[in-house]
């Protein structure tokens, strides 16, 4: 994973978003209320075939997106990924 956080977070609208499978879908399909597991499953299905899934997930981890489905992951799943990533960074330094 990229470690150049500043370069990514300073980009207001990443260009990869133009190629996103969700570009023409409603935001509330990915930003769900409560524990809408059926909704999460629907959103994850869109992400599974998205050509920018990796870029999306990396952006969400690096910018600590705490809401919504990004790169096919829920907020809880990203928290775990981010925790591991930060641990690996600490161990590498
Ligand atoms: S991975 Fe999912 S949330 Fe991210 S851009 Fe693609 S469809 Fe949208």
């Amino acid at each position: 994973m990229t470690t150049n956080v500043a370069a990514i977070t300073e980009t207001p609208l990443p260009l990869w978003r133009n190629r996103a499978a969700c570009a023409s879908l409603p935001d509330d399909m990915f930003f769900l209320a409560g524990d809408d597991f059926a909704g999460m499953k629907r959103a994850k299905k869109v992400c599974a075939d998205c050509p920018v899934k990796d870029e999306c997930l990396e952006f969400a981890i690096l910018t600590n997106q705490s809401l919504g489905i990004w790169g096919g992951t829920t907020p809880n799943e990203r928290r775990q990924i981010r925790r591991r990533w930060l641990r690996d960074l600490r161990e590498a330094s």
Side-chain angles (χ1 to χ4, degrees):
M1 178 180 289
T2 302
T3 55
N4 190 354
V5 176
I8 290 175
T9 56
E10 287 170 9
T11 304
L13 285 174
L15 292 176
W16 54 259
R17 291 186 64 174
N18 296 333
R19 296 184 288 122
C22 60
S24 61
L25 296 174
D27 286 346
D28 60 6
M29 186 175 173
F30 294 84
F31 292 90
L32 304 155
D35 292 333
D36 179 356
F37 296 112
M40 285 182 204
K41 194 172 175 183
R42 274 192 301 275
K44 285 179 160 206
K45 195 170 179 190
V46 174
C47 295
D49 294 326
C50 180
V52 293
K53 183 179 176 186
D54 292 344
E55 291 90 335
C56 178
L57 178 57
E58 182 174 88
F59 178 84
I61 297 293
L62 294 177
T63 58
N64 201 15
Q65 298 296 320
S66 60
L67 301 171
I69 303 294
W70 291 75
T73 63
T74 64
N76 280 339
E77 290 167 337
R78 286 196 305 281
R79 268 192 289 280
Q80 292 172 16
I81 293 169
R82 187 174 164 83
R83 226 178 281 131
R84 284 196 301 269
W85 173 58
L86 291 172
R87 185 198 61 214
D88 290 348
L89 279 180
R90 276 193 303 273
E91 288 176 4
S93 62

